[in-house]
Amino acid sequence: YTLSLTRVFWNSVERKKMTGLGDTKTQSLLDFTHVTDMSMEKQSSQKLDKLIMHMDPNARMTESELSGFLKLYGRYMKERSSKTEIDWNLIKQPDASILRPYSDLPEVGEDAVGVLSKLAVLKLNGGLGTSMGCTGPKSVIEVRGDTTFLDLTVQQIETLNNKYPKANVPLLLMNSFSTDEDTAKIIEKYTDTNVSISTFQQSRYPRILKDTFEPCANPDTAYNSTDWYPPGHGDVFAALMNSGLIDTLIAQGKEYVFVSNVDNLGATVDANILSLLIQENVDYCMELTDKTRADIKGGTLISYDGKVKLLEVAQVPSKYLDEFKSVKKFKVFNTNNIWVNLKSLKQRFESLELDIIPNPKTVGGKKVLQLETAIGAAMSFFENPIGVNV
């Protein structure tokens, strides 16, 4: 596979020349940023060319990973000097047609089997348990006796399939390169359960140095896993497409996928929500819950310039932070439990340009950036999205 990385990077530079500059920085500072970004992009493109051609085969990026990283990196470098902050005056509360109280949803009734037969459950299984003092995937942490997050997840799906034998709800696990090998061994114990389990791996991108914006991965040294990272749960859409699983699910008659974090045991399948989505042709649904003072940093649902959008704390101008954290104006927050129509996702995948979250870290004594995306940011790209206050 060959791709002119230099051409891709310099195309983004040319686009930047034609981009209007925002009002939040002075013209001279923007001009300086533009010039330095051009130099950084050129150096990074040269390093990536060499990296792709000469790296350890075990660390080689796939075609889809390379393409995805280039798009994300190019957009980030472009937006560094052109993106303007959100206009607080355009923010409105979502109306009743967008944010639905769960109590208003009709009961699914006798058609539960028909509804559930159109569903697949997807768990985000890329995280390690290091923050909880454990090694290996977070999903194997014991939370009830010797029962793990993953055990309870499989039990939940098996209970559903036993209650509705013809539903055949499958379980998908999106692993990262850090959890994939361990997970493959762990799921062998579920072979005789009434749950079809499939795994796929999310993308692996190179971290970039904060000062030079060059990739950390060095073509002249041995492969080092700390030079790489999984780019956030917004990558689930690309991973589903690149793995081919989306086509497999559609061929099986599945219409929706319900996505949630593997350690969120409260994220259970609700046939009433799924029934509503099918009846009203909703192609994206976000579960939200009432905001408390303990949830001040959680993203919230808004109407912005005529579109439904998730507003994250990182997007809020500093002078409006107190207002954002208040429970008086913004009354709900995102649970990261998302329902997505598979055919609609496939149709609009190429247009998904999710907000980029630059995540600064210090790894091995080096200050680096991880360019990440979040699944909730996709809401504004779908035709008929809603939120349900659960």
Side-chain angles (χ1 to χ4, degrees), residues 81-99:
S81 59
S82 64
K83 191 171 184 179
T84 57
E85 65 180 27
I86 195 166
D87 186 341
W88 202 250
N89 295 321
L90 295 179
I91 293 178
K92 296 181 180 179
Q93 297 300 309
D95 60 35
S97 66
I98 299 299
L99 183 57

Side-chain angles (χ1 to χ4, degrees), residues 32 76 86 117 168 170 183 193 213 238 240 301 317 346:
F32 177 78
Y76 173 70
I86 195 166
S117 67
N168 295 320
T183 301
T193 64
F213 293 91
L240 271 174
L301 195 63
K346 186 173 181 180

Side-chain angles (χ1 to χ4, degrees), residues 17 20 62 72 76 100 107 140 171 188 201 204-205 242 260 275 278-279 298 306 359 370 374:
K17 292 178 181 178
T62 65
L72 195 66
Y76 173 70
R100 314 285 185 89
E107 295 285 336
V140 300
L171 173 63
E188 291 179 1
Q201 193 169 323
R204 179 183 56 179
Y205 289 170
N242 297 333
S260 62
S275 178
I278 294 171
Q279 290 176 17
N359 186 3
Q370 297 180 176

Side-chain angles (χ1 to χ4, degrees), residues 70-344:
L70 287 171
K71 289 179 181 177
L72 195 66
Y73 182 96
R75 283 206 297 125
Y76 173 70
M77 296 301 285
K78 172 186 174 182
E79 292 172 3
R80 265 170 42 85
S81 59
S82 64
K83 191 171 184 179
T84 57
E85 65 180 27
I86 195 166
D87 186 341
W88 202 250
N89 295 321
L90 295 179
I91 293 178
K92 296 181 180 179
Q93 297 300 309
D95 60 35
S97 66
I98 299 299
L99 183 57
R100 314 285 185 89
Y102 179 80
S103 57
D104 289 352
L105 270 56
E107 295 285 336
V108 66
E110 299 179 358
D111 194 32
V113 174
V115 167
L116 292 170
S117 67
K118 300 177 180 180
L119 178 68
V121 172
L122 193 161
K123 292 291 183 176
L124 304 171
N125 187 47
L128 295 171
T130 49
S131 63
M132 299 182 181
C134 303
T135 59
K138 186 188 296 184
S139 57
V140 300
I141 294 175
E142 296 175 349
V143 290
R144 182 184 297 167
D146 59 357
T147 306
T148 67
F149 282 118
L150 191 54
D151 290 337
L152 292 170
T153 296
V154 174
Q155 289 176 19
Q156 288 175 348
I157 305 301
E158 184 174 45
T159 299
L160 196 66
N161 286 335
N162 288 340
K163 184 176 180 180
Y164 304 102
K166 295 182 180 180
N168 295 320
V169 177
L171 173 63
L172 314 176
L173 299 174
M174 185 177 81
N175 305 325
S176 67
F177 66 92
S178 299
T179 64
D180 193 58
E181 186 175 347
D182 287 340
T183 301
K185 298 174 184 176
I186 292 164
I187 63 174
E188 291 179 1
K189 68 178 182 178
Y190 306 125
T191 301
D192 296 325
T193 64
N194 187 19
V195 183
S196 172
I197 303 177
S198 300
T199 65
F200 63 109
Q201 193 169 323
Q202 71 180 116
S203 303
R204 179 183 56 179
Y205 289 170
R207 289 179 167 128
I208 58 176
L209 295 170
K210 190 174 182 180
D211 292 336
T212 65
F213 293 91
E214 293 182 84
C216 291
N218 192 326
D220 299 320
T221 60
Y223 167 68
N224 187 342
S225 62
T226 62
D227 291 334
W228 304 82
Y229 74 101
H233 42 64
D235 185 61
V236 65
F237 303 119
L240 271 174
M241 294 288 293
N242 297 333
S243 66
L245 264 175
I246 191 167
D247 292 319
T248 300
L249 293 171
I250 291 173
Q252 292 172 350
K254 304 302 179 183
E255 297 182 11
Y256 285 86
V257 61
F258 175 46
V259 185
S260 62
N261 296 322
V262 73
D263 58 342
N264 183 356
L265 298 176
T268 56
V269 173
D270 191 295
N272 293 339
I273 294 178
L274 181 57
S275 178
L276 174 74
L277 307 187
I278 294 171
Q279 290 176 17
E280 298 191 7
N281 294 315
V282 173
D283 52 2
Y284 184 105
C285 174
M286 176 183 293
E287 291 187 10
L288 302 105
T289 193
D290 290 341
K291 187 175 181 179
T292 70
R293 297 191 182 278
D295 310 308
I296 57 176
K297 292 185 178 181
T300 191
L301 195 63
I302 62 170
S303 176
Y304 184 79
D305 199 21
K307 285 189 175 183
V308 185
K309 183 179 176 68
L310 177 67
L311 177 65
E312 300 277 15
V313 64
Q315 299 170 306
V316 178
S318 57
K319 62 182 177 180
Y320 296 113
L321 275 175
D322 289 341
E323 187 176 349
F324 174 80
K325 293 176 181 179
S326 169
V327 297
K328 294 180 180 179
K329 181 173 182 177
F330 301 104
K331 302 180 184 299
V332 294
F333 77 98
N334 174 27
T335 64
N336 215 44
N337 302 339
I338 307 293
W339 304 73
V340 179
N341 182 280
L342 293 167
K343 289 184 178 179
S344 182

